Amino acid sequence: MSFDLVLFGGTGDLAWRKLLPALFQAQRHGTLPAGGRIIGVARDDLSDAQYRALIASRFAAVEGDKRPSATEFERFAELLHYVRMDLSQGADYARLAAHLRARGADTVVMYLATAPTLFTTVCEQLGAAGLATPATRVVLEKPLGHDLASNRAINAAVRGVFSERQVFRIDHYLGKPSVQNLLALRFGNALFEPLWRRETVASIEITIAEQLGVEKRGAFYDGTGALRDMVQNHALQLLCAIGMEPPINAHADAIRDEKLKVLRSLKGWTPESLARDVVRGQYAAGQLAGEAVPGYLQEPGVAPGSRTETFVALRTEIANWRWAGVPFYIRTGKRLAAHEAHIAVHFREAPHAIYRTPMGAANRLVIHLQPRDGLALHLFAAGQSQRGPATAAQTLAPVQLDLDFDQRFGRERVGAYERLLLDVIDGRLNLFVRSDEQEAAWRWVEPVLQSWREADERGEGPRPYASGTWGPSAASALVAKSGHSWMEEV
């Protein structure tokens, strides 16, 4: 199957840091279909040779085994081409159309690695140039809008040119091997299904923690914040994967129908719950790995006195038969104590204790998402030093069954963008977000955004927290009110 992948924003940060390395790895692994072209599109005046040289210079900074050898890059460079375009000029789209029609690839992928403000313009121009054919697929990067209204406007404009089945809204968390293993854990094994419900689960925690600050993205981040950047998309998609009912099959719409039901079942916000169940924070100066780091307000590009949040912790519930009354805790932030993402399923204590266990301890299943990829099941067992059979007076010790997927399957596994790009080329929609999912997520977070705007007007900004910690102390109090704790506090 021949394909053309047109990369709008082909000289940008996302293209050379994520997309082109992912495509190179696919070629290295032998999974990239033969007969393909990768066409970078940008305003720079470059020839094909100059574009290949530019990408080669960026690839030279790649560390370790993922850096291509000279022979490997030479082979990959044969796929790279370049077209100079001003995305506001219809004549340039006509030139691109002629370039693509001259070859007539079976599949044409339009990857919009541009500012979201250009999505509508690019899609409308593609339609006007006759490039929205049945063979065309369009990939939209996040953030898709700034709120519900802007998200609807973008989706309406895109649907005016492309059908829903041609639109691939990408969330790279869904391409992570660990998230695929989460779905396999739930729906490929009978072991956990009887336990996956309110009768046995006490609480569920989703943590996406970063040690880095905003770095050079201060101007972008200051207009976005943690809720839009991480919760509205990544965290809610993980919540859907944990909370959804088994789909009738593995087809894209069957899976996405069940995710949509979860989003529509999230408890709505009230003034009381917004005040009680949401914590907003902003990192201050502190120590990280023994080095002093600046606070958010000292970062380049951040407006003086900014009230943008770099940390969010919240409590919610899925109001349905399976999960009624089970709290779901979401936490994400920058400049935290660790670079780590995990989902922790905390089980209820045994209904009748005949052994002593450590105070407050219970079984839990931890799905590690990054930097490691694996599962850990926390149980209790009699200590090795004990002689004879266990007795009721004996205190059991915690033990851990640990499965490291990198060790089990090897570290050279398919990365998130590599998997997602291959799925786009093959036309598989399972790991992509449907427009009604996005709208449901935006509808749920909007009351939180509105409450923060009102708090800002009252002079109540985000809570400061020292860099290198786990966020404001109010985040610990949030879970403690229900008798729970974050995983590092267990």
Side-chain angles (χ1 to χ4, degrees), residues 16 56-63 67:
W16 69 264
S57 68
R58 300 287 172 82
F59 272 33
V62 175
E63 298 180 354
R67 180 189 299 174

Side-chain angles (χ1 to χ4, degrees), residues 435-456:
S435 61
D436 51 5
E437 288 181 73
Q438 281 193 331
E439 289 190 13
W442 275 117
R443 190 177 296 110
W444 187 74
V445 302
E446 277 218 320
V448 181
L449 293 168
Q450 178 60 33
S451 73
W452 288 348
R453 286 191 289 268
E454 294 170 357
D456 290 344

Side-chain angles (χ1 to χ4, degrees), residues 177-197 244-247 322 365 367 375 377 403 405 409:
S178 47
V179 177
Q180 300 311 299
N181 279 314
L182 168 58
L183 296 175
L185 169 78
R186 287 210 54 200
F187 305 130
N189 299 280
L191 179 64
F192 290 107
E193 176 57 27
L195 307 178
W196 219 259
R197 59 192 66 249
M244 65 190 278
E245 294 296 322
R322 181 186 290 266
L365 173 69
I367 300 122
L375 302 172
L377 182 60
L403 174 59
F405 288 122
F409 298 112

Side-chain angles (χ1 to χ4, degrees), residues 25-39:
Q25 290 297 329
Q27 187 190 55
R28 174 187 267 181
H29 295 154
T31 54
L32 190 68
R37 288 193 307 181
I38 302 166
I39 302 169

Side-chain angles (χ1 to χ4, degrees), residues 294-373:
Y296 179 72
L297 295 179
Q298 287 76 55
E299 299 281 16
V302 173
S306 170
R307 300 266 174 96
T308 297
E309 80 285 354
T310 63
F311 176 93
V312 178
L314 58 84
R315 178 192 191 278
T316 188
E317 293 180 21
I318 300 174
N320 64 14
W321 192 275
R322 181 186 290 266
W323 295 114
V326 176
F328 284 71
Y329 299 105
I330 293 175
R331 175 180 58 168
T332 185
K334 292 188 174 294
R335 286 278 189 242
L336 297 182
H339 171 61
E340 181 178 333
H342 63 255
I343 300 168
V345 180
H346 299 269
F347 294 99
R348 298 187 186 278
E349 295 182 20
H352 175 64
I354 62 172
Y355 301 112
R356 292 201 304 263
T357 56
M359 183 163 298
N363 302 132
R364 69 182 184 273
L365 173 69
V366 181
I367 300 122
H368 293 282
L369 305 175
Q370 66 181 32
R372 59 172 297 206
D373 176 11

Side-chain angles (χ1 to χ4, degrees), residues 100-183:
L100 296 174
R101 287 172 186 145
R103 181 165 182 260
D106 297 324
T107 299
V108 178
V109 176
M110 305 291 186
Y111 198 117
L112 274 57
T114 66
T117 52
L118 293 172
F119 289 174
T120 297
T121 297
V122 173
C123 287
E124 289 174 347
Q125 292 279 17
L126 290 173
L131 285 170
T133 71
T136 306
R137 294 160 191 158
V138 61
V139 184
L140 305 179
E141 269 283 348
K142 79 171 188 75
L144 205 67
H146 194 72
D147 53 18
L148 178 59
S150 58
N151 175 261
R152 281 175 167 168
I154 291 172
N155 277 324
V158 173
R159 282 196 300 266
V161 181
F162 297 98
S163 71
E164 181 66 30
R165 299 200 64 80
Q166 292 177 281
V167 182
F168 292 71
R169 297 171 189 84
I170 200 164
D171 184 329
H172 73 270
Y173 258 68
L174 296 181
K176 288 180 176 292
S178 47
V179 177
Q180 300 311 299
N181 279 314
L182 168 58
L183 296 175

Side-chain angles (χ1 to χ4, degrees), residues 3-11 15 20 23 27 35-42 44-55 73-85 96 99-100 103 105:
F3 72 90
D4 282 339
L5 194 156
V6 183
L7 189 51
F8 292 86
T11 59
L20 290 171
L23 290 164
Q27 187 190 55
R37 288 193 307 181
I38 302 166
I39 302 169
V41 168
D44 308 83
D45 190 7
L46 301 173
S47 65
D48 286 356
Q50 288 171 321
Y51 184 59
R52 291 164 182 162
L54 172 66
I55 301 306
F73 185 80
E74 183 178 351
R75 180 167 166 257
F76 179 67
E78 293 175 0
L79 307 181
L80 298 179
H81 303 267
Y82 184 80
V83 174
R84 181 184 179 279
M85 285 184 65
L96 175 65
H99 188 70
L100 296 174
R103 181 165 182 260

